[in-house]
Amino acid sequence: MDTGDTTWILFAIALVLFMHVPGLALFYGGLVSERNVVSTMMHSFVSLLIVSVVWVLWGYSLSYGTDIGGFIGGLNYLGFKGIGEEAALGTLTIPHYSFAMLQVVYAAITVAIISGGIAGRISFSAWVIFAVLWPTFVYAPMAHWVWGGGWLFQMGELDFAGGTVVHILSGVSALVAALIIGPRQGYLDYEHRPHNIVLFLFGAAALWFGWFGFNGGSALASGGITSLVFVTTHVAGAAAGIGWLLIEWKFRKRPTLIGTATGAIAGLVAITPGAGYVSIPSALVIGLIAAPVCYFSINFLKFHLRYDDTLDAFGVHGMAGIWGAIATGVFASKEVNSDGNNGLLYGNPEQLFHQVNGVAAAVILAATGTFVILKIISLFIPLRVSKEEELIGLDVSFHEEPAYHSEIQPVD
């Protein structure tokens, strides 16, 4: 057991929690209309609560329990049974407690990301049930396939911190949910503007800050690889932010704060699967290419196909996750991490094949699982709020909690 490694992982857990709330909550909350700020933040916050309990009761065991046929973990860790101060998984230098808790916060923020695709119209009851079922039947199997000793792990697919497990799963699931639930009222009739860019930017900054824990925590130690991850994470985000700024300046004749910050987040997503496997120059390239991949996905693909991914969860997380996973198969180098494999540029084209398999598996699992889960939920309760509730805004119509009070309200 190493106290330095343990201290770093505990701090990384706290960073990811900060990334979730307030980070993602403010990022999403600032982008929606003034009528749906509270409901959007509730989706992020409640997902943390629900998934944390689900993960303790059965989610962690399904992901990291004894492998069953390469597809799912056994039930030996139900209720965190058998998890204690001993070295995690028998080989790491951190307590099992710490490793298991790190996986809790990864799972929770993955679910929260999905809410960005359906903000402002999904019923809260449906969201609560979804937050129980989705990590059980979609996230846990994928986590086992990639990180828990499952078939993708055995094949050799590389996903350092969650390109397939977190970002492709959440992005594709958000798109499928948006298609099933349908667009917002008047989606194509008028412009939907963010209500508070200041909140959005603070959320983006908190996400960037927390991303050092998200990616760096996946090193599971506090050594040289963690330091590499800090650098690759930062430069990819910076490169993508610059890339988006230049593209927007070219095509819209003016750079915007929302666009530049969104570009940076896209770069952070793209580097996640390869953060500990690629060199710093490669991270710059990965981040730079993430900008046009996501920019044109949001501004052209979404526009022409006319789907309503409210906060571009698919356009940013899904598309950047796909690019990042494939890029890992191109740029991975054993010179920076001997525990990984070389990619295409270093003489191993087979790694690219493994990465494409991982992408395909994540897309199929996310699309199929989300479709089935939402259809089952819809058999019992409505997935969507009423037209009247949506037009009033969910903050008032459901939560009775407007985000802002412009005047003193009389006491009933």
Side-chain angles (χ1 to χ4, degrees):
M1 206 72 66
D2 187 286
T3 56
D5 292 345
T6 302
T7 301
W8 161 238
I9 295 304
L10 292 175
F11 184 57
I13 292 167
L15 284 173
V16 180
L17 280 172
F18 187 79
M19 181 186 190
H20 189 150
V21 180
L24 189 66
L26 289 175
F27 184 83
Y28 278 174
L31 286 174
V32 296
S33 72
E34 188 175 322
R35 298 172 291 128
N36 293 307
V37 181
V38 171
S39 67
T40 300
M41 290 184 171
M42 276 287 284
H43 290 153
S44 290
F45 190 68
V46 168
S47 66
L48 173 61
L49 309 182
I50 294 173
V51 178
S52 294
V53 174
V54 167
W55 214 244
V56 168
L57 294 179
W58 61 78
Y60 180 77
S61 191
L62 293 176
S63 298
Y64 291 96
T66 302
D67 177 61
I68 301 176
F71 286 95
I72 199 68
L75 303 181
N76 45 306
Y77 292 136
L78 283 180
F80 268 29
K81 177 184 178 182
I83 295 174
E85 299 178 4
E86 76 285 353
L89 308 182
T91 60
L92 300 176
T93 58
I94 60 173
H96 206 159
Y97 284 135
S98 303
F99 178 81
M101 183 60 188
L102 184 66
Q103 304 312 311
V104 168
V105 292
Y106 285 165
I109 197 169
T110 306
V111 175
I113 291 169
I114 299 171
S115 68
I118 46 182
R121 59 198 189 278
I122 188 172
S123 79
F124 189 70
S125 300
W127 176 252
V128 168
I129 298 171
F130 181 83
V132 174
L133 298 180
W134 191 88
T136 302
F137 295 105
V138 178
Y139 183 91
M142 191 70 193
H144 182 75
W145 295 354
V146 177
W147 293 333
W151 67 277
L152 285 173
F153 175 86
Q154 295 168 21
M155 177 188 295
E157 196 246 350
L158 299 176
D159 188 355
F160 191 81
T164 50
V165 179
V166 175
H167 296 295
I168 297 178
L169 279 191
S170 60
V172 172
S173 295
L175 174 61
V176 172
L179 293 173
I180 291 174
I181 294 175
R184 288 164 287 175
Q185 300 292 337
Y187 169 60
L188 297 176
D189 299 329
Y190 59 90
E191 185 178 2
H192 300 264
R193 293 185 175 181
H195 92 283
N196 193 318
I197 297 177
V198 175
L199 288 185
F200 158 80
L201 182 63
F202 186 86
L207 283 171
W208 196 327
F209 179 68
W211 227 292
F212 291 116
F214 192 92
N215 285 357
S218 291
L220 302 175
S222 59
I225 295 299
T226 307
S227 301
L228 169 70
V229 169
F230 265 56
V231 181
T232 56
T233 298
H234 186 72
V235 300
I242 292 171
W244 194 294
L245 182 153
L246 294 175
I247 294 170
E248 204 169 43
W249 209 341
K250 169 67 176 178
F251 286 94
R252 298 186 58 185
K253 308 306 180 185
R254 58 179 60 83
T256 67
L257 180 57
I258 288 179
T260 304
T262 300
I265 297 301
L268 294 169
V269 171
I271 196 58
T272 295
Y277 298 127
V278 303
S279 67
I280 295 168
S282 295
L284 281 167
V285 175
I286 291 171
L288 194 61
I289 295 178
V293 167
C294 296
Y295 181 88
F296 290 107
S297 172
I298 293 170
N299 290 282
F300 292 93
L301 181 65
K302 178 182 173 181
F303 176 78
H304 288 293
L305 297 183
R306 301 196 171 196
Y307 59 84
D308 186 12
D309 175 6
T310 312
L311 304 178
D312 297 313
F314 173 71
V316 175
H317 295 274
M319 292 302 294
I322 290 170
W323 158 240
I326 293 173
T328 301
V330 175
F331 295 103
S333 170
K334 294 184 71 172
E335 290 185 6
V336 299
N337 188 344
S338 59
D339 291 334
N341 297 318
N342 284 325
L344 176 65
L345 289 183
Y346 296 89
N348 182 24
E350 186 179 2
Q351 188 60 48
L352 182 58
F353 174 75
H354 296 331
Q355 298 305 113
V356 171
N357 274 337
V359 169
V363 170
I364 293 170
L365 177 61
T368 305
T370 302
F371 179 85
V372 171
I373 289 169
L374 288 176
K375 288 299 183 181
I376 291 175
I377 294 173
S378 70
L379 297 176
F380 302 95
I381 60 173
L383 292 178
R384 184 169 181 155
V385 299
S386 69
K387 180 178 180 180
E388 180 183 10
E389 290 173 324
E390 185 177 338
L391 292 175
I392 293 172
L394 302 187
D395 291 2
V396 173
S397 64
F398 185 83
H399 298 288
E400 294 187 350
E401 268 185 319
Y404 309 101
H405 295 277
S406 58
E407 59 185 28
I408 298 176
Q409 300 294 320
V411 178
D412 293 333

